Amino acid sequence: MALIVQKYGGTSVGTTERIEHVARKIKAFRDNGDDLVVVVSAMSGETNRLLELAEAVHPHARGRELDVLLSTGEQVTIALLSMALARLGCPARSYTGSQVHILTDSEFNKARIRTIEQDRIRGDLGKGRVVVVAGFQGVDEHGNITTLGRGGSDTTAVALAAALKADECQIYTDVDGVYTTDPRVVSDARRLDRITFEEMLEMASLGSKVLQIRSVEFAGKYNVPLRVLSTFIEGPGTLITFEDENMEDALISGIAFSRDEGQLTVTGVPDHPGVAYKIIGAVSALNIEVDMIVQNVGADGLTDFTFTVHRNDYERAMEGLREAANELNAREVRGDTRIAKVSLVGVGMRSHAGIASKMFEALGREGVNILMISTSEIKISVIIQEKYLELAVRALHDAFELAGPPEERIDSART
Ligand code: ADP
Ligand code: ASP
Ligand code: MG
């Protein structure tokens, strides 16, 4: 008998029929003798719908009240799933994040989990009940409802698994595992049997939204056995593991991409110490994270800077940059949001040279111009024009021979 924490994402609980399907799956695990704590997301589209409602009454709605609103999506699903389980003769109890006491900090809209109380959960499990917990939400020390950022139900599940020392944390979604790249963009992407925490963390950070970044961090830190599986297709899924010698020594594990970037450039600034700080500092002071930074080789005592930020922060970053540029008597400030980032990820890069040149060759062959480049030990990222994104991902997938045999191709449940 095992203690398993399962998480079902929005598409998996997107209709009442799907909720019933999930209930039958859970019942089968119970019949097998496993103890289950189940985390659910809001029904697919619901969180976006709530965000649109908020936007309609306040164009920049954020903070406490937004969390009161957004947390309702998950509350609907926990109740429906518990009812569906009861109907199957499988006793279940639903809890909101606040009821089960998932204590977070007070950073509304992107709160971090601090502690989780186990007594209630253990009590229910002891009575043979399935515990159904609302994902994506918690409560701060003052009793305010908080949410954990988009995709946060993954983190709820991993945090519960860590707290309860569960035997496994299973993330059920609409694809049957982690693929070499988003299978919706490259149809012959291959499912990976395993991927390391490190690689998964990079993939998530660089745009693959199959797991929320925080959930991977948590799982790595607390050593939670984590698996991504399909709600609709039977199969082993993908295990997220620590690196071991037997892992297939692929150079590249996957390709991640993101459209969430905006690029800002300031030209003709003095090429002397302290200028980089004035420019980047002006943006950081607004609490905006800067991603890639490039400074050109100076000429005539002047130089140019280009950097990227999350697209949501672009307008504010631009305002900050304009002010700094004025102070520095810069020649020009310009920006572009029609860009995208494509990244190759793989622990195999550590021990192999030539990956960057192969990447640039493949992009060059397709006529894709590279605007910025950044590398770290296990990843290479490039910024390109957004219109070339899918072409670039496919070209790289081919160049690095990541495609899988046809029988492993995704059979999508998303309609
Ligand atoms: P859920 O609602 O279950 O949380 P998400 O939409 O958040 O599901 O995450 C699953 C989606 O992640 C898939 O439908 C797929 O399009 C996307 N995705 C992006 N990159 C990958 C990848 N490398 N492997 C698998 N899925 C990926
Ligand atoms: N419902 C939330 C979202 O759509 C949380 C989640 O699904 O993980 O982002
Ligand atoms: Mg998700």
Side-chain angles (χ1 to χ4, degrees):
M1 194 173 94
L3 170 58
I4 305 173
V5 175
Q6 300 185 331
K7 176 253 170 176
Y8 292 91
T11 318
S12 308
V13 293
T15 62
T16 49
E17 289 77 20
R18 287 186 174 181
I19 290 175
E20 287 169 327
H21 170 75
V22 166
R24 286 192 293 275
K25 263 182 101 80
I26 293 170
K27 169 117 183 356
F29 277 93
R30 281 297 295 146
D31 291 346
N32 194 35
D34 294 326
D35 279 339
L36 286 188
V37 175
V38 178
V39 173
V40 281
S41 290
M43 295 168 83
S44 56
E46 179 62 9
T47 308
N48 287 339
R49 188 185 74 87
L50 294 169
L51 279 168
E52 280 163 24
L53 288 179
E55 178 116 339
V57 295
H58 189 320
H60 302 295
R62 51 169 86 168
R64 183 184 187 278
E65 304 314 323
L66 186 62
D67 281 353
V68 173
L69 179 70
L70 294 186
S71 66
T72 61
E74 271 70 11
Q75 190 168 342
V76 170
T77 9
I78 53 170
L80 290 175
L81 179 59
S82 303
M83 290 173 197
L85 283 164
R87 188 173 171 201
L88 296 178
C90 184
R93 272 270 169 103
S94 68
Y95 293 104
T96 64
S98 137
Q99 283 176 314
V100 79
H101 222 77
I102 297 179
L103 183 71
T104 71
D105 62 19
S106 303
E107 281 284 320
F108 295 112
N109 317 152
K110 50 172 185 200
R112 285 171 170 249
I113 296 176
R114 284 190 178 150
T115 57
I116 298 182
E117 268 171 32
Q118 298 180 35
D119 299 357
R120 232 166 159 177
I121 301 176
R122 296 254 182 229
D124 281 325
L125 292 175
K127 293 192 180 97
R129 293 174 184 146
V130 174
V131 178
V132 181
V133 180
F136 172 60
Q137 55 179 266
V139 63
D140 75 1
E141 58 186 339
H142 309 293
N144 298 303
I145 294 173
T146 55
T147 67
L148 311 179
R150 298 308 303 265
S153 300
D154 299 330
T155 303
T156 305
V158 174
L160 276 165
L164 297 165
K165 300 198 170 50
D167 295 292
E168 188 161 288
C169 182
Q170 302 174 339
I171 306 288
Y172 286 94
T173 182
D174 55 4
V175 283
D176 63 341
V178 178
Y179 276 66
T180 46
T181 191
D182 189 338
R184 296 184 202 290
V185 169
V186 178
S187 59
D188 60 359
R190 179 169 51 93
R191 184 181 58 77
L192 301 165
D193 285 326
R194 293 152 149 251
I195 184 169
T196 66
F197 280 111
E198 235 183 321
E199 288 168 322
M200 194 64 237
L201 198 57
E202 287 285 6
M203 292 280 282
S205 312
L206 296 166
S208 300
K209 63 166 189 167
V210 59
L211 286 174
Q212 198 196 31
I213 305 171
R214 284 282 292 152
S215 72
V216 187
E217 277 172 5
F218 240 108
K221 188 166 167 194
Y222 295 102
N223 212 345
V224 176
L226 182 61
R227 197 182 283 277
V228 176
L229 305 128
S230 162
T231 304
F232 308 101
I233 310 162
E234 289 293 317
T238 301
L239 185 67
I240 327 290
T241 63
F242 289 103
E243 206 171 334
D244 74 42
E245 272 149 35
N246 300 326
M247 282 181 85
E248 52 177 312
D249 52 353
L251 287 183
I252 303 299
S253 294
I255 303 174
F257 53 85
S258 160
R259 293 183 171 86
D260 295 337
E261 305 244 336
Q263 188 185 48
L264 299 92
T265 300
V266 53
T267 67
V269 293
D271 191 8
H272 61 63
V275 170
Y277 169 66
K278 284 220 168 95
I279 292 168
I280 302 302
V283 176
S284 304
L286 299 170
N287 221 345
I288 295 172
E289 212 174 303
V290 174
D291 184 15
M292 285 195 203
I293 307 175
V294 172
Q295 179 184 359
N296 285 348
V297 176
D300 308 327
L302 295 176
T303 187
D304 307 337
F305 269 91
T306 300
F307 59 94
T308 63
V309 296
H310 194 282
R311 212 174 276 190
N312 292 345
D313 295 325
Y314 175 79
E315 298 293 339
R316 283 195 312 130
M318 191 50 114
E319 279 171 34
L321 179 61
R322 284 223 169 86
E323 276 173 31
N326 265 341
E327 278 174 32
L328 291 166
N329 259 328
R331 190 185 307 132
E332 190 196 8
V333 172
R334 55 173 190 264
D336 192 351
T337 51
R338 287 158 307 171
I339 57 158
K341 181 162 74 172
V342 182
S343 310
L344 296 181
V345 174
V347 289
M349 272 186 218
R350 281 200 192 109
S351 48
H352 286 84
I355 292 176
S357 69
K358 189 167 172 179
M359 179 184 200
F360 304 156
E361 183 195 7
L363 294 174
R365 217 172 21 233
E366 297 293 337
V368 178
N369 195 27
I370 298 171
L371 307 175
M372 296 172 90
I373 302 168
S374 94
T375 64
S376 74
E377 215 187 3
I378 66 162
K379 72 123 207 281
I380 305 174
S381 300
V382 295
I383 298 282
I384 59 172
Q385 281 181 294
E386 185 178 2
K387 64 181 177 190
Y388 295 128
L389 178 60
E390 303 207 342
L391 173 67
V393 173
R394 289 197 189 105
L396 293 171
H397 203 266
D398 283 348
F400 287 92
E401 297 172 28
L402 297 177
E407 69 269 21
E408 295 228 342
R409 286 183 195 176
I410 179 191
D411 175 14
S412 170
R414 184 175 276 187
T415 45

